[in-house]
Amino acid sequence: IFSERLLVGGSFLLLMLALRSMTGGRVLPILALGLGSILFPYSSLFYSHVPAASLLFASFTLQTRGRYALADITGALACALEFPVIVPFVVLLLYRRRESWSPAGAARLLAFMVLSFAPQFVHNWLAFGSPFRMGYSLESSTAFEGMNTGLFGFGVPGLHALAMLTVSPERGLFFYMPWAAAGLAGFFTGRSFRETLRNDPGPLLVCLYIVLFSAYYMPSGGWAFGPRHLIPVIPFLALGLDRFASACPKRAFCAWLLILPGILQALVGLL
């Protein structure tokens, strides 16, 4: 148990260091993500959400520095930990500079993806008879029957599920972390909507992931504290919060106020 918590907790620490490097060491976004988000309580559990978030954000950080091979490795590992992360990873790939693409680079990325998923495929083949068959399909509980519908449980997005994942007291992102709303607004601070979408993968990445899980058969995530499925993209909202707070002192004060309920919620999650 100690080694498992060390692995997840260590990935959480690496995520904080990556965020620090992207924000110039400013305290506000680090505090929001480190103490005022659901990543804090989940960093003490052996779930793949926090390691996937760490690897995806590392891929983004490395990509912004032009270190594409390492970005491919961390991105592929993030996808292997949680396959829906393929969606935000593809968004990151689409925002790469055009001159960075080459047949050799594409082949390298494909190889990393195959190697990252290979252990899971081999395990499924040996344990369940097919590389694409998951253990959920063998569960006797009716709770997991939805995994056999659509594409691994994903179907059509629903407004009810979207509301649950964003504003509801049950699993709402903005309920558990009110600062996330400022983070989303921060993506567009100081620049036009079109300019933001052209240059920043953050808002598209976050919104697509929320819509994706509004199409999941169990958007609540079963046993969970907050919207656990959305954890891989929450670090990007911390970047948006940093931009929001940097605009003016009034916004910075508002951001600090929004972090406080998130800290209280995260502490409750640790109980």
Side-chain angles (χ1 to χ4, degrees):
I1 294 176
F2 174 77
S3 60
E4 294 167 353
R5 290 186 174 180
L6 183 63
L7 175 64
V8 179
S11 67
F12 183 55
L13 177 59
L14 291 175
L15 174 58
M16 293 296 101
L17 292 174
L19 179 62
R20 182 178 182 273
S21 72
M22 291 296 292
T23 59
R26 285 183 286 276
V27 174
L28 182 69
I30 297 173
L31 183 65
L33 189 64
L35 293 179
S37 78
I38 61 173
L39 275 78
F40 185 27
Y42 276 99
S43 66
S44 65
L45 299 174
F46 193 51
Y47 276 27
S48 60
H49 306 313
V50 172
S54 178
L55 288 166
L56 180 65
F57 194 78
S59 180
F60 167 70
T61 303
L62 292 163
Q63 178 173 307
T64 59
R65 288 161 169 72
R67 304 180 69 176
Y68 298 113
L70 290 175
D72 288 345
I73 293 173
T74 51
L77 290 172
C79 295
L81 285 176
E82 295 204 359
F83 71 86
V85 171
I86 289 174
V87 172
F89 183 50
V90 167
V91 172
L92 290 181
L93 293 176
L94 292 175
Y95 276 81
R96 286 190 181 181
R97 292 195 296 268
R98 187 174 301 176
E99 59 270 20
S100 69
W101 283 104
S102 66
R108 178 191 64 208
L109 174 59
L110 179 61
F112 286 148
M113 291 293 286
V114 170
L115 289 173
S116 297
F117 277 89
Q120 181 68 65
F121 288 152
V122 171
H123 171 268
N124 290 351
W125 188 18
L126 295 176
F128 311 127
S130 168
F132 303 103
R133 189 177 188 184
M134 297 185 179
Y136 285 113
S137 63
L138 303 176
E139 287 279 353
S140 58
S141 172
T142 57
F144 299 104
E145 288 180 349
M147 286 294 295
N148 298 319
T149 63
L151 181 63
F152 298 117
F154 289 92
V156 179
L159 290 177
H160 176 74
L162 189 61
M164 176 192 292
L165 289 171
T166 52
V167 297
S168 76
E170 182 183 359
R171 294 289 185 268
L173 176 68
F174 305 131
F175 178 83
Y176 281 84
M177 292 162 288
W179 61 264
L184 192 58
F187 287 128
F188 304 95
T189 298
R191 53 191 177 184
S192 68
F193 183 84
R194 183 176 180 180
E195 182 185 359
T196 300
L197 291 184
R198 182 184 298 169
N199 299 298
D200 190 345
L204 181 61
L205 178 153
V206 170
C207 291
L208 279 180
Y209 208 64
I210 294 173
V211 172
L212 174 67
F213 274 96
S214 74
Y216 192 48
Y217 86 100
M218 191 189 292
S220 66
W223 183 92
F225 177 78
R228 67 180 179 91
H229 289 310
L230 303 184
I231 285 177
V233 298
I234 292 176
F236 294 91
L237 289 169
L239 287 181
L241 180 69
D242 181 55
R243 189 176 182 86
F244 177 88
S246 299
C248 66
K250 288 184 178 179
R251 288 198 175 195
F253 179 73
C254 179
W256 280 103
L257 289 180
L258 291 173
I259 289 174
L260 293 177
I263 294 176
L264 295 175
Q265 290 272 31
L267 291 175
V268 170
L270 284 173
L271 299 178

